[in-house]
């Protein structure tokens, strides 16, 4: 399976904003972005005039990196969003929010989406009682995502469950820290996404 293996902090610096790719470290004083927020590379600190295409490309890259998907997969999500009723940009973000790895992160059972993806791949979670090992599975309203019974004694899972009890979850997820599970009470809406995106720029980029 293809995946990005480079430094996460370099992605944040390239996009000029924190993407919260490393969990609690991103909110601490150790965050590299706090000390060096310029774009990576020899000329990263140089002031550059950004074209309209450049703005659209950066917004697409920021969104793709925030959710941890590669280019081909991101384009597939865009094609799916185009075929749905409503605004394509909002549909795209909602599809990305519905990914299983994002749901595991949102419910508080992982410090970052990268960690959530690893836990899913290693078979720690179920959907409606059935083992789920594909991070890109799209959850539906009514689905119950839970830690497998035989994986609940692990030190990492226990630590994440303790942290889960202290985290705020979006209104479309009903989290139950005691049972290490969460129910999808409704599909997410555009207003439920708490990160700043300008999805219209992505639509304009792919409409060329």
């Amino acid at each position: 399976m293809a995946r990005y293996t480079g430094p996460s902090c370099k992605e944040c610096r390239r996009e000029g904003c924190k993407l919260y790719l490393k969990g609690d470290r991103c909110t601490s004083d150790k965050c590299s972005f706090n000390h060096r927020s310029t774009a990576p590379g020899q000329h990263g600190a140089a002031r550059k005039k950004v074209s309209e295409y450049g703005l659209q490309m950066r917004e697409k890259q920021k969104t793709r990196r925030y959710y941890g998907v590669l280019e081909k997969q991101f384009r597939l999500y865009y094609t799916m969003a185009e075929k749905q009723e409503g605004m394509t940009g909002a549909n795209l973000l909602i599809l990305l929010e519905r990914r299983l790895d994002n749901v595991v992160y949102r419910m508080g059972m992982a410090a970052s989406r990268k960690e959530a993806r690893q836990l899913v791949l290693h078979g720690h979670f179920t959907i409606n009682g059935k083992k789920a090992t594909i991070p890109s599975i799209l959850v539906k309203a009514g689905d119950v995502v839970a830690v497998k019974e035989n994986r609940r004694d692990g030190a990492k899972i226990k630590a994440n469950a303790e942290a889960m009890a202290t985290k705020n979850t979006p209104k479309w997820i009903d989290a139950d820290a005691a049972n290490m599970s969460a129910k999808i009470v409704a599909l997410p809406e555009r207003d439920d996404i708490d990160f700043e995106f300008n999805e219209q720029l992505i639509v304009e980029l792919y409409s060329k």
Side-chain angles (χ1 to χ4, degrees):
M1 182 184 69
R3 60 192 176 94
Y4 174 75
T5 58
S8 297
C9 294
K10 184 177 286 188
E11 292 188 293
C12 295
R13 289 174 54 204
R14 183 63 188 91
E15 302 310 327
C17 65
K18 286 189 180 185
L19 300 177
Y20 301 97
L21 303 177
K22 300 185 76 172
D24 294 336
R25 183 184 178 92
C26 297
T27 58
S28 70
D29 294 335
K30 295 181 180 180
C31 179
S32 300
F33 188 83
N34 293 338
H35 307 291
R36 190 180 183 188
S37 59
T38 57
Q42 181 179 359
H43 305 290
R47 298 180 64 182
K48 301 176 182 177
K49 184 177 180 181
V50 183
S51 65
E52 180 183 3
Y53 174 81
L55 288 173
Q56 295 166 351
M57 178 62 73
R58 289 269 58 85
E59 192 65 25
K60 186 263 292 183
Q61 292 292 79
K62 180 178 76 173
T63 306
R64 187 177 65 76
R65 286 168 169 165
Y66 180 77
Y67 286 103
V69 298
L70 297 180
E71 180 61 42
K72 183 177 180 180
Q73 195 171 24
F74 190 84
R75 186 60 188 255
L76 289 174
Y77 283 125
Y78 182 83
T79 301
M80 291 172 62
E82 266 190 319
K83 295 177 180 178
Q84 295 178 346
E85 294 183 1
M87 300 183 67
T88 300
N91 291 341
L92 172 64
L93 296 180
I94 290 170
L95 284 171
L96 293 167
E97 279 289 309
R98 290 173 55 196
R99 283 174 54 96
L100 178 57
D101 55 357
N102 180 73
V103 171
V104 170
Y105 168 70
R106 292 290 193 193
M107 65 188 276
M109 277 302 298
S112 66
R113 289 179 180 82
K114 183 178 288 186
E115 181 183 308
R117 197 153 43 248
Q118 185 179 51
L119 291 174
V120 172
L121 285 169
H122 289 180
H124 288 282
F125 288 90
T126 63
I127 297 180
N128 301 327
K130 296 181 180 180
K131 184 177 179 180
T133 58
I134 302 175
S136 60
I137 290 175
L138 298 180
V139 300
K140 306 182 295 296
D143 284 348
V144 175
V145 178
V147 178
K148 285 187 68 177
E149 290 285 348
N150 62 353
R151 302 294 179 93
R152 298 188 178 191
D153 292 331
K156 183 63 177 177
I157 292 296
K158 285 184 175 180
N160 287 355
E162 291 177 3
M164 177 182 176
T166 65
K167 293 184 178 180
N168 294 324
T169 55
K171 65 182 183 182
W172 54 280
I173 296 177
D174 183 14
D176 183 354
N179 292 315
M180 300 185 190
S181 65
K183 182 175 182 179
I184 311 303
V185 294
L187 291 182
E189 298 178 358
R190 176 63 182 91
D191 294 339
D192 295 326
I193 301 173
D194 56 3
F195 194 80
E196 186 177 345
F197 294 111
N198 186 347
E199 61 270 24
Q200 184 57 34
L201 291 177
I202 303 174
V203 176
E204 292 172 0
L205 175 67
Y206 282 133
S207 297
K208 291 182 181 296

